[in-house]
Amino acid sequence: MSLKIIHTADWHLGQTFFGYDREAEHDAFLIWLANTLKEQQTDILLIAGDIFDVANPSAFAQHRFYRFLREAKAGCPHLQIVIIGGNHDSAARLEAPLPLLEELNTTIVGMVKRTKTGEIDYDSLLCPLYNREGKQEALCLCVPYLRQGDYPPAEEAEENSFMAGVQRLYQKLTNYAKQQLMPEHALIAMGHLYAGSAELSENDRSERIIIGGLESIPPETFDESLAYTALGHIHKAQRVGARDSVRYSGSPLPMSFSETKYNHQVVSIQIEKGKAVSICPVSIPTCVELLRIPTTPQTPEEVLSSLSTLPDKTDDNVQSCPYLEVRVLLTAPDPGFRHRVEEAIKNKAVRLTSIVTSYPKNEVNDTFSPLTFSDLQNISPVTMLEHAFTAKFGNELPEEIKDLFNNVVREVQQ
C-alpha cells in the first residue's frame, strides 16, 4: 500500500504585511489547499508549526484555522491531519481543543510532555499514520518547537548546549520509534527549528534567528532511516544539507520583497513500502503581487514617471491590489518625496508599503576620511554638517541648506 502526504508550514494566520491585513490572501491559500488535498486524494496533511503569527491570535485568525480543518475533512473524509507547534504559536492554546479535534482525525503536539517521574513522554511525540483504508503505513515523530529544558539532560561527558540537547532528543526519539516500527512501515519526522545550512529569506522580519547561529541544528540530526523529514520555521522552501528527503516547505505567502520572483509551495510526498518514492513541490497560485518600482533605484522624477503608468483602481476592493515598494536614488535630501509618491498613486491599484532610499556610490565616498577626535573638538557646526552631507550623498552641501542651518545656529546662540 501507499501513503500520500502533503507537507506545509508557517501559515502565520493573522499576520499583517507593512500594516495591511492578509485575510484575503490566507483565505485564498486555504481554499486552494483544501481543493488540492481533495484533488490529490491526500492521506496525510503535515503542518510543521507557526499556524498563527502570534501566541494570542485574533478570533478571526482562529476561526479561519478551524474552518479550514472542517472544510478539508469534508472534502477529503479519510484525511489525517498532524500539527506541531512553532515558536510563534502558544502550545497550550493549540492543544486546548484537542478533545474536539480528535473527532476530525487531527493530532496536535504543541509541547514536550513529561511523565509523572519527570521523564520525557516519548509516546506523546509519536503518531501513527494511516492510509485511506485505515491501515497503518508509517510512524511520525512529532517534535514541536523546542525551548531550553525540553530535551533530555546531558549525560556525563556529553555536551549540554541547546544544539546538542535537540540532537539528543531526536536521536532518543528515533531509537524509541524504531523499536515500535513494523516491517515496511515508514518513519517520518516533523520539526520546527533552524537547520544551520538553511538559506534565509532576505529582509524577512518574522524569521528570528539567534545571533551567531546558537540555535542552529546540523542536518545530521535527522537519522538516515527517516523516509521524510517535514520542517518548518524557515520561510524559503528548500532541501536541507543536499538531502532531498529533509525539507522546508516554506511559507505559503511572501514575507518580504526579496520574494518577488519566488514560487511558494507545499510539498507532495508518496510513500511506498516504507520509502519515499516521490517528493514533488506543488506551486501555490499567487494571490497578491509584489511590485518593486523601479526594479533598480532611479531618480525621483523617473520614479514618479514610472508610477504614473500603473493601472487605475476599478473598484473599492483593495485586498487584491499589489503591494508596492518604491526604490529611489537620492543625491540630496528630498523631504517631500513621500508626499509626491502618495499623490501619484492616490487612484492607482496598488498599496504602498515602503520607500527604499539609495545613494550613489562615487569616488568621494571611496576616498572620504572620517573625522578624528581632534577634528571634532575644533570643528564648527556647519563644517560638521558639510562633512556628514558629503559622506552620505557624495555631493557638497547646497548653499540654501547651509544658510538655513546658519540661521538656526545664530538663533540658538542668541
Side-chain angles (χ1 to χ4, degrees):
M1 294 298 294
S2 64
L3 203 62
K4 185 63 172 290
I5 300 172
I6 293 288
H7 162 211
T8 180
D10 298 284
W11 294 359
H12 290 276
L13 299 179
Q15 187 212 30
T16 60
F17 192 64
F18 291 90
Y20 297 103
D21 76 65
R22 314 193 77 175
E23 293 179 4
E25 294 173 83
H26 279 124
D27 281 341
F29 162 66
L30 293 176
I31 291 171
W32 172 85
L33 180 57
N35 290 335
T36 300
L37 294 170
K38 181 179 179 180
E39 290 168 4
Q40 297 203 8
Q41 286 297 291
T42 308
D43 299 306
I44 309 293
L45 174 64
L46 302 179
I47 310 176
D50 280 356
I51 300 295
F52 300 108
D53 192 55
V54 294
N56 187 24
S58 69
F60 291 109
Q62 295 179 73
H63 176 79
R64 185 167 284 107
F65 172 53
Y66 297 124
R67 182 180 63 193
F68 164 78
L69 296 181
R70 183 196 66 193
E71 293 177 353
K73 284 291 294 181
C76 200
H78 65 271
L79 180 69
Q80 181 181 359
I81 302 173
V82 183
I83 302 167
I84 61 171
N87 59 304
H88 283 249
D89 299 314
S90 163
R93 186 181 295 277
L94 272 185
E95 291 191 356
L98 258 181
L100 294 176
L101 295 183
E102 286 172 349
E103 296 298 316
L104 294 176
N105 200 15
T106 296
T107 299
I108 300 179
V109 179
M111 66 186 79
V112 176
K113 296 179 176 62
R114 300 274 176 170
T115 64
K116 293 180 179 180
T117 59
E119 302 292 323
I120 292 176
D121 185 357
Y122 289 109
D123 285 316
S124 70
L125 300 176
L126 296 179
C127 178
L129 304 181
Y130 301 92
N131 61 26
R132 68 197 62 188
E133 281 77 31
K135 295 182 179 179
Q136 184 177 344
E137 291 281 340
L139 191 60
C140 185
L141 319 182
C142 307
V143 183
Y145 179 74
L146 299 174
R147 295 173 172 84
Q148 292 288 344
D150 282 341
Y151 43 79
E155 302 290 341
E156 187 176 350
E158 282 187 329
E159 189 179 348
N160 198 30
S161 67
F162 175 80
M163 179 178 68
V166 173
Q167 288 182 286
R168 273 197 304 277
L169 187 142
Y170 271 96
Q171 181 182 29
K172 289 179 178 293
L173 181 59
T174 301
N175 292 337
Y176 183 77
K178 284 180 179 179
Q179 298 173 10
Q180 305 180 44
L181 201 64
M182 299 295 290
E184 295 192 347
H185 282 186
L187 198 57
I188 310 291
M190 297 178 72
H192 192 92
L193 46 78
Y194 170 42
S197 61
E199 182 182 350
L200 306 182
S201 296
E202 180 186 352
N203 297 325
D204 185 348
R205 301 174 183 178
S206 55
E207 282 182 350
R208 300 183 179 95
I209 304 303
I210 295 177
I211 295 174
L214 295 178
E215 64 175 9
S216 63
I217 307 303
E220 297 75 27
T221 299
F222 311 109
D223 195 276
E224 292 286 349
S225 64
L226 294 167
Y228 184 78
T229 301
L231 297 178
H233 189 47
I234 303 303
H235 297 151
K236 186 173 184 179
Q238 59 195 284
R239 297 180 299 175
V240 173
R243 291 173 61 182
D244 198 48
S245 62
V246 183
R247 293 202 180 204
Y248 287 101
S249 65
S251 60
L253 303 185
M255 296 294 180
S256 76
F257 274 87
S258 65
E259 303 173 29
T260 51
K261 296 182 180 179
Y262 164 64
N263 291 324
H264 294 261
Q265 61 185 244
V266 298
V267 184
S268 175
I269 308 101
Q270 186 78 22
I271 301 291
E272 292 184 5
K273 295 182 179 180
K275 304 291 183 182
V277 297
S278 173
I279 301 174
C280 301
V282 182
S283 294
I284 301 169
T286 300
C287 176
V288 176
E289 190 179 358
L290 299 180
L291 290 180
R292 269 180 164 168
I293 295 181
T295 53
T296 57
Q298 295 179 357
T299 65
E301 292 71 23
E302 291 172 318
V303 170
L304 294 171
S305 176
S306 297
L307 295 177
S308 68
T309 65
L310 290 170
D312 294 331
K313 290 180 183 176
T314 56
D315 53 44
D316 294 330
N317 180 21
V318 298
Q319 292 287 326
S320 60
C321 290
Y323 296 115
L324 172 65
E325 178 186 86
V326 174
R327 312 177 88 189
V328 62
L329 182 67
L330 294 180
T331 57
D334 191 347
F337 181 68
R338 183 177 184 91
H339 176 70
R340 287 187 286 158
V341 168
E342 291 172 345
E343 287 296 311
I345 64 171
K346 183 180 293 184
N347 296 312
K348 301 297 184 179
V350 292
R351 288 178 282 177
L352 178 65
T353 62
S354 59
I355 297 176
V356 179
T357 304
S358 298
Y359 305 100
K361 181 177 175 60
N362 53 41
E363 295 180 1
V364 175
N365 296 85
D366 294 337
T367 61
F368 207 76
S369 58
L371 295 172
T372 65
F373 179 72
S374 177
D375 293 333
L376 291 173
Q377 288 180 310
N378 302 296
I379 195 171
S380 68
V382 69
T383 304
M384 183 179 292
L385 177 61
E386 289 174 328
H387 190 281
F389 188 94
T390 304
K392 183 169 186 177
F393 296 102
N395 297 318
E396 292 186 3
L397 181 70
E399 288 297 323
E400 180 184 1
I401 297 179
K402 185 186 295 185
D403 292 340
L404 289 171
F405 182 78
N406 283 328
N407 289 337
V408 172
V409 172
R410 281 193 295 270
E411 289 181 11
V412 170
Q413 291 175 341
Q414 288 177 357

